[in-house]
Amino acid sequence: MIKGLVFIDLDGTLLNSESQVDDDVVEAIKKLKENNYAPIIATGRTLVEIQHILDRIDTQSIISMNGQHGIYNSRVIFNKSMDIDAIKRLKEKVISNGHELSFYNPSKITITGHSEVAKKNYEYLNGKLPPIDGEIYEKEPINMLLILTENGDEEYKREFPEFQFVRNTPYAIDVFEKNVSKGEGIKIFIEELNLKGIPTYAFGDGLNDLEMFETVDYPIAMENASPILKEKAAYVTKSNINRGIEHGLKYYNLISS
C-alpha cells in the first residue's frame, strides 16, 4: 500500500550539474520505494528526452511538460494538447521576432531552426539540438512549446494571454496552456488514481515548481533554488550536487540512514 507520493523535479533538483543522476540519488529512490512511497518525476521536459533517467532510477511515473502529460507505472493518465491555431499564431510572431520555436510531445521534439541561442539552450540542458520541422503541429498533437530567446518575455505574455510563459533557462521560455501546471497535473494524478488522503511531498528549484509547492503537503526547496521558491518551502534541503534529495527524504523520515 502506498504511504505517500513524492514529486521530484529534474534539472537543478534530482540531476547533477551534468544532467546526470548520481549514485546516492539512485540509492535514495530505491529506499523510498522499499518504504512504500511512490517517487514521481515532475518536470518541464518531455518523455523522449528523459527515458534514460527514468530507467536509471527505476520508475515509470512522471508528470511531464509542466503538467501537460501524466504517466503512472507506464500507463498514460492524462494528455493535454495545445490548440493548433494558437500555435500557428505564436509561431508567426516568434519567427517575425527573429527567434526560434521548439515543439514538444511525448515522443518527439522538433524546432524551426538552429540559431545560436537554440544551440546554447540545448547545450545548457546537456541535450541534443532537435531536428528541424516547423510544421509538425499540423501533423501531430503538441503538448508544449519553447521559445528560444534571451529576451521578449513580457511581449509574449502580453500578446498571447491564452498561454503561460515561464523562463526556465537563460535561453528559452516554456510555453503551455493556461491553467496547466505541475500542480494541476498533481491534482489530476491524485484524482484519477484515487490516491486522496495520503501525504504528498515535492522537491524543486525553479519557478515552474511554484504551483507544485502550493499543491502538496510538504514542499521542499533545494539549497540552489530560486529565492521565490524557497519562500514557499516548508523545508530547504541541501543542493542538487550535495545529496539534497537524500537529505530531504531523511529529514521527513521517508528513508533512514
Side-chain angles (χ1 to χ4, degrees):
M1 182 177 176
I2 298 174
K3 294 163 62 176
L5 304 173
V6 183
F7 299 92
I8 309 173
D9 174 55
L10 288 181
D11 297 290
T13 302
L14 182 137
L15 302 180
N16 62 25
S17 56
E18 283 77 44
S19 297
Q20 301 297 318
V21 185
D22 290 328
D23 290 342
D24 59 273
V25 173
V26 174
E27 185 63 25
I29 298 298
K30 179 182 177 182
K31 290 179 179 178
L32 186 68
K33 291 191 293 183
E34 288 173 350
N35 290 342
N36 295 319
Y37 290 91
I40 301 161
I41 298 303
T43 180
R45 297 207 194 201
T46 188
L47 189 62
V48 67
E49 61 183 329
I50 61 167
Q51 186 59 58
H52 64 291
I53 296 170
L54 300 179
D55 293 341
R56 173 111 164 91
I57 62 173
D58 192 25
T59 183
Q60 299 300 324
S61 298
I62 176 173
I63 293 172
S64 64
M65 294 178 281
N66 293 309
Q68 291 277 132
H69 193 265
I71 294 174
Y72 184 70
N73 289 341
S74 300
R75 178 168 67 91
V76 175
I77 304 301
F78 62 90
N79 184 10
K80 298 182 178 182
S81 58
M82 302 177 76
D83 180 74
I84 293 176
D85 291 336
I87 292 175
K88 183 178 180 180
R89 287 189 290 107
L90 179 62
K91 175 191 166 185
E92 291 172 351
K93 181 65 176 178
V94 168
I95 298 302
S96 71
N97 282 348
H99 304 150
E100 302 294 347
L101 190 67
S102 290
F103 307 86
Y104 284 67
N105 66 29
S107 61
K108 291 181 183 177
I109 306 171
T110 70
I111 194 170
T112 53
H114 291 166
S115 67
E116 286 304 310
V117 173
K119 292 175 183 177
K120 287 179 181 179
N121 182 69
Y122 289 97
E123 287 174 1
Y124 183 89
L125 295 172
N126 294 297
K128 295 180 180 179
L129 194 62
I132 295 175
D133 183 352
E135 283 72 46
I136 188 173
Y137 66 94
E138 297 178 348
K139 300 168 283 188
E140 299 183 24
I142 299 300
N143 301 84
M144 191 182 79
L145 305 165
L146 251 66
I147 303 174
L148 287 308
T149 175
E150 296 174 284
N151 52 57
D153 304 47
E154 295 307 315
E155 178 186 4
Y156 287 117
K157 290 177 182 178
R158 184 173 60 252
E159 295 196 21
F160 295 89
E162 66 267 45
F163 289 142
Q164 291 190 71
F165 298 86
V166 179
R167 181 171 287 280
N168 278 319
T169 81
Y171 312 109
I173 308 168
D174 289 7
V175 186
F176 41 99
E177 294 283 356
K178 209 75 172 177
N179 301 319
V180 169
S181 67
K182 292 182 183 181
E184 288 303 312
I186 289 172
K187 291 176 184 177
I188 296 171
F189 218 81
I190 292 172
E191 182 73 29
E192 292 294 322
L193 295 171
N194 195 27
L195 292 174
K196 294 180 180 178
I198 59 176
T200 53
Y201 306 80
F203 288 80
D205 74 304
L207 295 180
N208 67 337
D209 296 319
L210 280 170
E211 290 86 356
M212 178 167 72
F213 271 34
E214 293 169 352
T215 302
V216 300
D217 299 316
Y218 304 100
I220 305 158
M222 311 305 289
E223 186 178 45
N224 51 286
S226 159
I228 296 173
L229 197 70
K230 286 182 178 179
E231 291 178 2
K232 300 286 186 180
Y235 180 68
V236 177
T237 186
K238 296 181 180 180
S239 75
N240 64 313
I241 59 173
N242 191 27
R243 307 177 84 99
I245 295 295
E246 178 186 8
H247 184 79
L249 293 175
K250 287 181 178 178
Y251 178 83
Y252 282 102
N253 296 313
L254 304 185
I255 65 173
S256 57
S257 301

